[in-house]
Amino acid sequence: MTAQRRSDGTRAAILTAARERFAADGFERATIRAIAADANIDPSLVMRYYGNKEKLFAAAAEFDLRLPDMALVPADRHGAVLVEHFLDRWAGDETLLALIRAAVSHEAAAERMRTIFAAQVGPVAARLAPDPATAATRAGLIATQILGFALCRFVLRLPPIVALDRDAAVAWLAPTVQRYLYDTPGH
């Protein structure tokens, strides 16, 4: 095996271990030593490849939101489809949940969350918005609904929000997301 392949395999093992550890323990309690042990490597290799825990977290939190192709969805369903999609993503992705937990108190995680939403939700808003110049604001407002709901449901576990079934959550959130996509303020 070449040194490059070993290096790639080590990096992949570190990232897999980091995703699992951050999801299980959160950013605060996850340690470089525990991640290295999970990857069956020396902790110095984690530091060599990633420098520190914040940089490792940012690399481990690299993922695709897998947003649906909105061109295939009727315009009057865009808000509902986005909400449904995010509910499914949050419910099924421990790395995403670890990222939102960490983003509340760590700037590196908050920056990663901002980057993910700007890079992935921003272009959707730009394609759908009546005025592309408002896309960043629209994407930010959508994030307030999606991230706020995820924080309250999955992290803070507010009982009335946790108690909402999927259909009820969509019914509450979708009209607001739809409005953020298409309406002009003051009209």
Side-chain angles (χ1 to χ4, degrees):
M1 181 183 287
T2 68
Q4 180 62 42
R5 272 203 232 148
R6 272 194 310 274
S7 173
D8 291 347
T10 300
R11 285 178 190 266
I14 292 168
L15 288 177
T16 297
R19 286 183 185 109
E20 291 171 3
R21 181 61 60 175
F22 285 130
D25 294 349
F27 182 85
E28 289 294 334
R29 291 183 303 158
T31 66
I32 294 293
R33 285 187 188 282
I35 291 165
D38 293 345
N40 296 315
I41 61 164
D42 187 273
S44 66
L45 284 174
V46 177
M47 299 306 286
R48 177 176 155 205
Y49 290 127
Y50 296 99
N52 60 42
K53 189 164 82 167
E54 288 80 11
K55 289 178 183 174
L56 173 60
F57 185 84
E62 183 72 42
F63 57 84
D64 183 355
L65 292 173
R66 299 190 300 261
L67 293 171
D69 182 353
M70 300 307 280
L72 305 174
V73 177
D76 65 341
R77 293 258 316 127
H78 285 162
V81 167
L82 283 174
V83 170
E84 290 164 352
H85 176 76
F86 276 108
L87 287 173
D88 294 342
R89 287 292 283 135
W90 287 112
D93 192 325
E94 288 298 321
T95 302
L96 203 50
L97 293 176
L99 182 58
I100 196 169
R101 282 185 200 103
V104 172
S105 58
H106 292 280
E107 181 54 32
E111 178 58 31
R112 189 73 203 112
M113 185 68 82
R114 286 190 292 270
T115 300
I116 289 166
F117 268 75
Q120 296 181 44
V121 178
V124 171
R127 283 191 297 279
L128 300 178
D131 177 3
T134 63
T137 299
R138 291 173 188 278
L141 289 168
I142 291 166
T144 67
Q145 296 303 298
I146 300 303
L147 294 174
F149 186 83
L151 180 69
C152 291
R153 185 176 184 107
F154 301 112
V155 178
L156 301 176
R157 305 208 38 83
L158 294 178
I161 303 306
V162 171
L164 286 173
D165 67 28
R166 185 176 184 275
D167 291 341
V170 171
W172 280 100
L173 296 172
T176 301
V177 172
Q178 185 76 17
R179 186 171 60 80
Y180 288 158
L181 283 169
Y182 292 108
D183 289 0
T184 303
H187 293 94

